[in-house]
Amino acid sequence: MYFLTGWPRRLLCPLKSEEEPFHVQPSSQRFYFAVLSETQLSVWFSRPSVLIVSYIESAKASSQFGFYQQAEWKQDDSMIAVAAANGYILLFDVVGGGEDKYLYEPVYSIGSTGVKVTPGYKEEQCAPALSLEMKRPIDLEAPITSMQSLQEDLLVSTADGYLHILHWDGVSNGRKAISLCSVPFSLDLQSARGGLCLDLKGMYIRDMTYCVTLDGFAVVLDDGRLGFITPLANRITADQLQGVWAADVTDGTCVAVNNKYRLMTFGCASGSVLVYSIDTTTGSMQLSHKLELTPKHYPDVWNKTGAVKLIRWSPDYSVAMVTWECGGLSLWSVFGAHLICTLGEDFAYRSDGTKKDPINISSMCWGAEGYHLWVITSREEGELVENMEEAPPQTQQAGILQFHFIKSSNQEQVLLHGEDRLYLTCGDPTHPPHHPSTPSPNSTSQGLSTLLGYKHWHVVQIHSTYLESNWPIRVSVWRVCLVCLSVCLGVCLEQNMTVTGGLVWWNGFVVVACYNFIDRQEELRLYLRSSNLDNTFSSVTKLHSDTLLLNVFRDMIILFRADCSICLYSMEKRHDGPKPSASVELLQEVSMSRYIPHPALVVSVTLTSVRTETGITLKAPQQACMADSIILNLAGQLIMLQRDRSGPQLQEKVPLPFCPPVVLAQYVENVWTTCRSNRKKRHLLEALWLSCGEAGMKVWLPLFPRDHRKPHSFLSRRIMLPIHINIYPLAVLFEDALVLGASNETVLYDGLQGRESLEGLFPYCTVERTSQIYLHHILRQLLVRNLGEQALLLAQSCAALPYFPHVMELMVHVVLEEEATSREPIPDPLLPTVAKFITEFPLFLQTIVHCARKTEFALWNYLFAAVGNPKDLFEECLMAQDLDTAASYLIILQNMEVPAVSRQHATLLFNTALEQGKWDLCRHMIRFLKAIGSGEMETPPPTPTTQEPSSTGGFELFRNRSISLSQSADSLAAGKFNLQKTFSMPSGPSAKGDCAENMYIDMMLRRHARHLLEHVRLKELGCFSAQLGFELIGWLCHERMRVARVDDFVMALKCLHKDFLWPFPVIPAGSINSPFKNGHRRTVLSQHLLKFQSADSLLNSDMDTAPPQAAAHNSNHTWLDGLEALGPTEPTEMDTALSHGGPQTQEAFLSPLTNKNIVRELSTYLSRSRPTSRALDLPLIIYKSEINNKNEQ
């Protein structure tokens, strides 16, 4: 496919002339271009784009012949025919300048090797010096309307209704004329002899073009009718011509033909382009499709373009460029996919929003290999371009512009190539790329990191030395940069051969179908990738006919030849030498001459394992590795030849014959298959993908029985499903369920050099990589056809994809939008089936709520009538402990239920979030409950029970009452200590309602705090207080005689250690009583105990992360240090007690803490240091509460 890139280039003419060019015509190979002005004929070269020669008519001859109007090249580029206004045909001989006469020659540095001594290098690299010699003019005595070059003749139509057949050597052979009235026209060839014929009296042909593959002329008559004239014999004579015309069309303006796809494109005065084909049975003209702008994408200009002025097909006939009377350019693919249009977006508007005038084009043509579009603007445009350089108009031909394009190759990866560079998809260098030519039997994926991980292109610039003799790039395959870099070392080799059938990769070899100039022999060559392109390291197989196409499937190569035959070869890699080698052996030859009228009609040939009815079972997945079918794209018609397994099975080494071809699809542009296999994803890997232009894509999907059951006899084994996509597909990732593509993007730079510069007239064009998920389209199509079991198998095989939840959302959303917004009643809605389907997956609840929140409120009734009551879905989320999804359902309930129901469900979620410690969600719920309180009087419609779309009145309700649960956590954290103030400080007219809501929220917070303290979960209580701004100190003072009262102090302290994962202190058993025998040592021990439990020591992060053994060791060391300061003890008793360990030792140590003296000392300490509300100071609060209890007793 074609993509516009960069800015257009302006071509200057070195000759002084006041005449503006208005017509450009390429030669057959597009290396030369004839440019016409009123009295001047110029010949330009393609690379470099320079003027070679110019012929200026004298004033006397100009008055006799009239101004030049159009030009036509002879097919061997040796002559040019120019039509003049007074009915003259001027024939010019294009003569070479002689030996070693070139306008431009490359200058090489001293010591450059290889290139200068190459035979014929000057002819390849230099612009030749040519001259134009006019022969005797031919007077046709009538204005000339159109010219068409044939092999040996020149066909000219005149305004008097005649067709003149001129020989290029007009002096010796003369001419003959055919009256248009003598040609019978009918609707089809069957009714030509006796049916209604068209009256052509007084008519003439306005425009005509010859189609080689249809063997006829597509014509536009002067009254706007369209027709096709075909000769009934080999010679064009008056009695051997037959015409058919298209019914109901009277506004034709121009015509162009597509020889590759056998199509005729007619421009109309309405601005549309009608594409016709010839019915092979009746010979009538059938409308295939239309190329026209749509009001959806171009609402301002779709019906204001004027008549179609020119249509030009690219050299490979894959795209058509169209321009209108009002200006502008538009690019379409062969079957109607719209690619580029300069009448909208940045092409039509400046950066400040003002509208540009569209570029008005008088003539255009494609350059070599379609990399350039030569455009000649009208006189007004030419004056504008002249003014931008502030130069005299007579010094340059400023109206010639050159647009640059890059093209794509049909590969398994996205690969673009320009005239001198390649654009590769750049992946993660740490992951080696997948080689599709050498697949492993169990390979599963092409690697998303490689194909999607990076957005930019990896651009490989081809060496200029190579391009001097091999410009432009004609064929490219994946990793072809290695080929091109190696080719630079083998330039001498390429001077002796040319690639005819293309390039493919196979197992480290480059497979080339080429023509050997020295031996005059068609050959198949295999070059080792690690060696230079030298015949010393190649395997050469001689072929009997010219190769047009080739492809590889595993270890087999398929060739399509010019004699309409197909050859299958087997390839084997050998390691019998210092370097690997390859051997090629002919397996089978299939003649297709009965089915292919012309070899140029074959677009692609593919060898694949795809089958129709034979062998599609789950029991034999290894059959997916066999080359069972040949798929041909014949002029857009996809035909398939399968192995004939009906007869007796021959020997294993002899390949089976092929059945007659069957037609799979029409209007096909590209085909994708894969040779990889994966038992878990057989639906995707054994599918056949088609690109069908405006119709999007189609997939020929296999259908498998489930659980090895016998399939139903009435079910087909494959099904063709249409897939609508928003991008033009360039590659298909089978395992990853993705389509890769590219699209044109534009950047405005009109402020850099003014509005009248090229940068101001045109935006800078870039090419961006795009991708699209297609799995939801397939699943939906299967469900529509009641193939839910197949859809379930396919979805389960792709459930591990990272974007599978998004696939489910897309499927629900697309179906919902189509059905809920339909103006007509739907007899069999699909949404309930889709809802039932996604319940098979655990992400059902998330899918529904995410889809609902991305959909208009007016469609919610229809959605939840199919998927279920949102209250029931909310309760399922709570049962599944999916609180985040339940919070999303609260938005739904808030807008569909009364506030009391929303508050009830919000309270359930708030309590659950408090219990699980999800503080961010708790803060959101506090805000949500406060917002519900302000809307107490609103009564939204109840949850629907029928599938009736809700009224639009609820949309205002949604806008006024919707509360987002995704507010920034930073703003909430900044105000967390102000939450408690809002509980008791309501303001505004709704102060009464807010006060009640605040009291309700405060009651729930206090209840949860009481629950935590009752179960001695002090750490969680501290986090609760810190995260939600709960006034803990005041609440503890209020609860000190209730839930904060400690009845079992020892058990509470042990629970405290367990909650904070603190190690228990251990002291010597012999010294367990001695510290309490005098008051001094009791005081010191109490101080050490408080120091051990102080907040500063507990904040040490090492305590939380250290192993239990290390923590115990550190605590013992601290206590022993304190005991050593007290004085000598009896270590023997301590060791005895310590050897037993366990709870007895811990309780024995904690029991002295109930001593009244210790309680008094703790009270004194706590009275001097006021604790804060931090979670780690909570043990001190427990101590103080216990002390107060003891004192009161």
Side-chain angles (χ1 to χ4, degrees):
M1 200 38 59
Y2 284 60
F3 301 95
L4 191 62
T5 179
W7 278 302
R9 179 169 55 186
R10 180 173 49 85
L11 303 181
L12 299 178
C13 178
L15 300 180
K16 295 182 179 181
S17 176
E18 296 182 357
E19 298 177 354
E20 291 292 334
F22 61 86
H23 180 78
V24 58
Q25 184 69 25
S27 63
S28 59
Q29 299 297 325
R30 303 181 188 271
F31 287 123
Y32 303 101
F33 297 86
V35 179
L36 291 182
S37 56
E38 292 179 349
T39 61
Q40 182 173 333
L41 169 63
S42 302
V43 177
W44 289 68
F45 195 55
S46 57
R47 186 180 185 268
S49 300
V50 294
L51 177 66
I52 296 178
V53 63
S54 183
Y55 179 90
I56 302 176
E57 193 70 74
S58 63
K60 180 180 178 181
S62 177
S63 62
Q64 176 187 356
F65 303 143
F67 292 150
Y68 295 164
Q69 290 182 331
Q70 52 185 313
E72 190 73 22
W73 285 81
K74 191 178 179 181
Q75 292 191 2
D76 60 358
D77 300 346
S78 62
M79 296 183 68
I80 302 176
V82 177
N86 294 340
Y88 284 87
I89 294 292
L90 308 179
L91 299 178
F92 292 86
D93 283 328
V94 181
V95 183
E99 185 179 358
D100 294 335
K101 291 184 179 180
Y102 301 95
L103 296 180
Y104 305 92
E105 294 186 8
V107 178
Y108 298 99
S109 60
I110 300 176
S112 59
T113 59
V115 179
K116 286 188 176 181
V117 298
T118 302
Y121 80 98
K122 288 187 176 181
E123 291 83 349
E124 296 284 349
Q125 302 168 11
C126 310
L130 304 177
S131 62
L132 296 174
E133 298 179 0
M134 189 180 74
K135 305 174 71 172
R136 191 180 69 176
I138 301 175
D139 186 10
L140 299 181
E141 300 178 355
I144 298 170
T145 59
S146 179
M147 294 192 305
Q148 179 64 49
S149 175
L150 302 180
Q151 189 68 32
E152 297 294 337
D153 300 327
L154 179 66
L155 190 64
V156 182
S157 64
T158 55
D160 57 357
Y162 280 88
L163 284 173
H164 300 269
I165 304 174
L166 309 178
H167 290 279
W168 280 101
D169 189 5
V171 177
S172 60
N173 294 333
R175 59 188 175 88
K176 54 184 177 180
I178 301 174
S179 175
L180 188 61
C181 296
S182 63
V183 180
F185 273 82
S186 59
L187 288 176
D188 55 61
L189 295 180
Q190 291 181 348
S191 59
R193 297 305 176 185
L196 178 65
C197 292
L198 189 65
D199 184 13
L200 300 179
K201 185 177 180 180
M203 296 185 184
Y204 62 88
I205 296 176
R206 178 189 300 177
D207 192 12
M208 67 176 177
T209 306
Y210 179 69
C211 182
V212 177
T213 54
L214 288 175
D215 191 20
F217 300 89
V219 299
V220 178
L221 304 180
D222 64 321
D223 62 351
R225 281 185 280 192
L226 315 177
F228 177 74
I229 302 175
T230 178
L232 301 179
N234 295 331
R235 302 294 298 175
I236 301 177
T237 58
D239 58 345
Q240 295 294 329
L241 294 180
Q242 175 65 48
V244 294
W245 54 282
D248 303 327
V249 180
T250 58
D251 62 343
T253 58
C254 58
V255 63
V257 297
N258 189 318
N259 290 309
K260 193 75 173 178
Y261 292 87
R262 306 182 80 185
L263 297 175
M264 299 173 290
T265 52
F266 297 92
C268 299
S270 62
S272 300
V273 176
L274 305 180
V275 183
Y276 281 87
S277 61
I278 296 296
D279 188 287
T280 57
T281 304
T282 63
S284 62
M285 296 178 61
Q286 291 186 339
L287 181 63
S288 172
H289 56 281
K290 295 182 180 181
L291 309 179
E292 54 187 1
L293 301 180
T294 60
K296 178 181 179 181
H297 298 96
Y298 300 92
D300 299 332
V301 298
W302 70 277
N303 57 351
K304 301 177 183 178
T305 58
V308 177
K309 191 174 185 179
L310 294 170
I311 305 172
R312 294 292 183 264
W313 285 100
S314 61
D316 59 359
Y317 299 104
S318 61
V319 294
M321 185 68 77
V322 179
T323 184
W324 295 272
E325 292 289 347
C326 296
L329 290 169
S330 187
L331 188 69
W332 274 279
S333 71
V334 62
F335 289 115
H338 198 195
L339 303 174
I340 304 170
C341 185
T342 62
L343 296 179
E345 298 178 347
D346 290 342
F347 287 99
Y349 296 92
R350 300 183 180 91
S351 57
D352 57 1
T354 57
K355 188 174 179 59
K356 304 177 187 176
D357 293 329
I359 176 175
N360 205 312
I361 297 170
S362 60
S363 181
M364 64 179 179
C365 68
W366 290 94
E369 298 295 330
Y371 290 118
H372 300 104
L373 182 71
W374 291 57
V375 171
I376 296 183
T377 58
S378 64
R379 184 175 300 276
E380 294 78 9
E381 296 290 338
E383 293 175 356
L384 179 61
V385 180
E386 287 169 4
N387 296 334
M388 68 185 177
E389 294 294 334
E390 299 181 358
Q394 68 271 12
T395 61
Q396 57 189 14
Q397 283 190 343
I400 304 179
L401 299 178
Q402 204 177 65
F403 290 86
H404 306 275
F405 289 85
I406 58 178
K407 303 190 298 182
S408 65
S409 298
N410 187 18
Q411 307 284 334
E412 286 198 29
Q413 298 87 5
V414 177
L415 170 63
L416 305 181
H417 51 87
E419 58 173 333
D420 59 353
R421 66 197 65 192
L422 302 173
Y423 296 80
L424 310 178
T425 53
C426 185
D428 189 351
T430 60
H431 291 77
H434 176 76
H435 307 299
S437 59
T438 58
S440 60
N442 298 321
S443 59
T444 58
S445 178
Q446 293 144 289
L448 285 178
S449 62
T450 301
L451 299 171
L452 299 178
Y454 295 85
K455 197 67 176 176
H456 64 277
W457 298 95
H458 182 66
V459 181
V460 179
Q461 178 70 45
I462 308 303
H463 200 279
S464 59
T465 306
Y466 173 75
L467 291 174
E468 285 176 354
S469 57
N470 296 280
W471 179 90
I473 298 175
R474 295 179 55 234
V475 182
S476 63
V477 294
W478 184 247
R479 291 169 53 207
V480 77
C481 57
L482 300 176
V483 178
C484 295
L485 295 178
S486 300
V487 164
C488 297
L489 303 177
V491 175
C492 296
L493 171 65
E494 287 211 353
Q495 298 298 324
N496 301 325
M497 52 87 75
T498 180
V499 177
T500 58
L503 304 173
V504 291
W505 280 99
W506 171 78
N507 207 9
F509 286 86
V510 183
V511 184
V512 184
C514 61
Y515 180 79
N516 190 336
F517 290 119
I518 297 178
D519 299 337
R520 296 183 180 181
Q521 174 69 46
E522 190 78 17
E523 296 176 345
L524 179 66
R525 299 183 181 182
L526 279 74
Y527 293 96
L528 188 62
R529 180 174 63 92
S530 58
S531 302
N532 294 340
L533 294 187
D534 193 340
N535 287 338
T536 307
F537 310 104
S538 67
S539 172
V540 180
T541 302
K542 296 186 180 299
L543 305 176
H544 302 293
S545 181
D546 296 343
T547 302
L548 302 181
L549 298 167
L550 82 162
N551 209 333
V552 167
F553 179 84
R554 295 188 176 273
D555 293 334
M556 297 179 64
I557 185 169
I558 181 171
L559 303 181
F560 178 75
R561 305 189 302 190
D563 59 357
C564 295
S565 63
I566 295 175
C567 292
L568 301 180
Y569 290 85
S570 66
M571 298 178 293
E572 181 181 358
K573 188 175 182 179
R574 297 179 177 178
H575 301 274
D576 51 0
K579 291 187 176 180
S581 61
S583 62
V584 179
E585 180 183 358
L586 178 63
L587 293 179
Q588 193 173 6
E589 186 172 350
V590 183
S591 176
M592 297 292 294
S593 57
R594 295 175 53 190
Y595 312 105
I596 301 177
H598 197 284
L601 297 177
V602 179
V603 181
S604 65
V605 58
T606 306
L607 192 63
T608 178
S609 61
V610 173
R611 300 173 299 277
T612 53
E613 302 292 333
T614 306
I616 298 185
T617 61
L618 288 175
K619 298 181 180 180
Q622 67 275 6
Q623 293 185 4
C625 305
M626 300 174 60
D628 279 346
S629 305
I630 297 176
I631 295 180
L632 291 175
N633 185 354
L634 180 61
Q637 187 179 60
L638 198 67
I639 62 176
M640 180 179 184
L641 292 85
Q642 294 187 100
R643 298 278 187 187
D644 188 3
R645 302 179 183 274
S646 60
Q649 299 297 319
L650 303 178
Q651 297 180 3
E652 184 178 355
K653 295 184 179 180
V654 178
L656 296 175
F658 287 93
C659 299
V662 294
V663 178
L664 297 183
Q666 302 278 356
Y667 311 114
V668 178
E669 294 182 358
N670 292 315
V671 181
W672 292 276
T673 62
T674 182
C675 55
R676 293 183 300 276
S677 61
N678 184 353
R679 185 181 180 87
K680 295 181 179 179
K681 294 186 177 182
R682 292 192 64 192
H683 281 93
L684 298 179
L685 288 175
E686 297 185 28
L688 179 68
W689 281 91
L690 314 176
S691 173
C692 301
E694 184 184 14
M697 298 186 70
K698 293 181 180 180
V699 55
W700 201 34
L701 196 71
L703 302 179
F704 301 107
R706 190 174 185 179
D707 300 331
H708 302 281
R709 290 178 294 180
K710 185 178 180 180
H712 296 289
S713 59
F714 58 86
L715 289 180
S716 175
R717 305 297 176 85
R718 282 187 176 270
I719 186 172
M720 187 72 74
L721 302 177
I723 305 296
H724 176 73
I725 60 174
N726 300 321
I727 64 174
Y728 189 86
L730 299 181
V732 176
L733 303 186
F734 290 85
E735 299 94 326
D736 301 311
L738 280 176
V739 174
L740 302 182
S743 63
N744 263 119
E745 300 293 337
T746 54
V747 182
L748 287 172
Y749 291 97
D750 51 8
L752 296 181
Q753 301 182 13
R755 293 185 175 182
E756 296 182 353
S757 63
L758 278 178
E759 292 78 6
L761 292 175
F762 302 97
Y764 185 82
C765 296
T766 60
V767 181
E768 299 289 339
R769 295 166 55 188
T770 57
S771 61
Q772 184 171 333
I773 301 171
Y774 62 75
L775 184 58
H776 63 288
H777 291 292
I778 299 180
L779 296 177
R780 179 190 174 187
Q781 294 292 337
L782 291 174
L783 293 178
V784 168
R785 291 159 174 80
N786 294 324
L787 296 174
E789 184 176 299
Q790 298 293 326
L792 185 60
L793 289 174
L794 176 59
Q796 289 174 347
S797 67
C798 300
L801 293 175
Y803 39 81
F804 184 75
H806 184 57
V807 170
M808 296 288 102
E809 288 183 36
L810 284 175
M811 183 169 61
V812 176
H813 182 77
V814 171
V815 175
L816 174 63
E817 289 285 343
E818 290 183 3
E819 295 186 357
T821 58
S822 176
R823 297 183 179 181
E824 300 294 333
I826 302 176
D828 188 14
L830 183 63
L831 187 60
T833 305
V834 173
K836 184 178 179 181
F837 174 77
I838 62 176
T839 55
E840 299 289 335
F841 301 93
L843 45 83
F844 163 71
L845 297 173
Q846 298 93 321
T847 300
I848 296 301
V849 73
H850 292 169
C851 180
R853 295 196 62 184
K854 298 173 185 176
T855 309
E856 294 182 2
F857 170 73
L859 308 182
W860 284 6
N861 279 351
Y862 191 89
L863 173 64
F864 288 102
V867 301
N869 194 310
K871 293 186 291 185
D872 298 336
L873 300 178
F874 174 85
E875 294 174 1
E876 290 185 27
C877 293
L878 288 184
M879 294 177 62
Q881 300 297 315
D882 190 358
L883 303 188
D884 294 331
T885 304
S888 298
Y889 274 104
L890 278 181
I891 298 295
I892 311 297
L893 293 174
Q894 179 204 8
N895 292 277
M896 300 185 71
E897 299 289 345
V898 295
V901 176
S902 300
R903 181 186 293 107
Q904 177 186 0
H905 289 78
T907 303
L908 291 175
L909 180 59
F910 187 31
N911 290 332
T912 307
L914 287 173
E915 184 64 29
Q916 296 187 5
K918 293 190 174 184
W919 310 121
D920 290 338
L921 181 58
C922 292
R923 289 195 295 269
H924 295 323
M925 296 310 304
I926 290 176
R927 183 167 52 86
F928 187 84
L929 287 169
K930 293 168 69 65
I932 290 180
S934 62
E936 191 72 37
M937 299 304 296
E938 300 178 7
T939 57
T943 303
T945 57
T946 61
Q947 293 187 359
E948 296 180 358
S950 62
S951 62
T952 57
F955 193 79
E956 294 293 329
L957 178 64
F958 171 75
R959 184 170 55 190
N960 294 334
R961 299 188 59 238
S962 176
I963 304 299
S964 175
L965 296 180
S966 58
Q967 184 176 340
S968 174
D970 297 336
S971 61
L972 292 172
K976 63 184 179 181
F977 292 106
N978 298 326
L979 286 176
Q980 66 272 18
K981 298 180 180 179
T982 62
F983 296 162
S984 58
M985 298 173 60
S987 60
S990 59
K992 182 177 180 180
D994 290 345
C995 182
E997 196 67 32
N998 291 337
M999 293 178 59
Y1000 179 68
I1001 296 173
D1002 193 22
M1003 179 190 68
M1004 288 190 292
L1005 293 177
R1006 291 175 178 270
R1007 182 174 59 188
H1008 183 68
R1010 188 179 302 109
H1011 171 74
L1012 294 178
L1013 189 58
E1014 184 178 13
H1015 292 81
V1016 201
R1017 293 159 59 182
L1018 299 183
K1019 183 177 181 180
E1020 190 172 348
L1021 179 62
C1023 294
F1024 163 76
S1025 173
Q1027 294 288 341
L1028 301 183
F1030 183 72
E1031 187 63 37
L1032 188 58
I1033 296 178
W1035 178 80
L1036 285 174
C1037 294
H1038 181 267
E1039 297 286 337
R1040 63 179 183 177
M1041 297 303 298
R1042 301 176 184 175
V1043 70
R1045 178 186 178 93
V1046 179
D1047 297 328
D1048 190 345
F1049 188 78
V1050 174
M1051 184 59 64
L1053 192 57
K1054 292 170 64 177
C1055 293
L1056 187 66
H1057 277 266
K1058 181 180 180 181
D1059 192 17
F1060 284 92
L1061 301 179
W1062 292 341
F1064 288 104
V1066 179
I1067 61 173
S1071 304
I1072 196 168
N1073 295 324
S1074 60
F1076 300 96
K1077 293 181 179 180
N1078 55 73
H1080 172 70
R1081 295 192 177 185
R1082 284 198 304 268
T1083 305
V1084 174
L1085 181 59
S1086 302
Q1087 292 175 354
H1088 277 273
L1089 176 62
L1090 292 176
K1091 184 186 294 184
F1092 174 76
Q1093 299 186 10
S1094 63
D1096 296 335
S1097 63
L1098 295 177
L1099 284 175
N1100 190 352
S1101 61
D1102 296 338
M1103 180 72 72
D1104 296 333
T1105 60
Q1109 295 83 357
H1113 174 72
N1114 295 334
S1115 62
N1116 293 340
H1117 179 71
T1118 304
W1119 279 88
L1120 289 175
D1121 291 344
L1123 292 175
E1124 289 176 358
L1126 297 177
T1129 58
E1130 293 78 6
T1132 304
E1133 298 180 5
M1134 180 270 296
D1135 295 337
T1136 304
L1138 189 60
S1139 61
H1140 297 282
Q1144 293 83 1
T1145 305
Q1146 298 171 357
E1147 293 179 2
F1149 168 73
L1150 293 175
S1151 57
L1153 294 179
T1154 58
N1155 187 283
K1156 294 183 178 180
N1157 295 329
I1158 298 299
V1159 172
R1160 189 181 303 110
E1161 292 179 5
L1162 287 175
S1163 177
T1164 303
Y1165 175 80
L1166 293 176
S1167 63
R1168 295 176 181 176
S1169 57
R1170 179 177 179 83
T1172 63
S1173 60
R1174 292 181 303 171
L1176 296 179
D1177 290 331
L1178 294 178
L1180 303 180
I1181 299 175
I1182 297 296
Y1183 289 145
K1184 188 171 182 180
S1185 301
E1186 178 65 16
I1187 290 168
N1188 294 334
N1189 185 27
K1190 295 291 184 179
N1191 291 335
E1192 290 177 0
Q1193 293 178 357

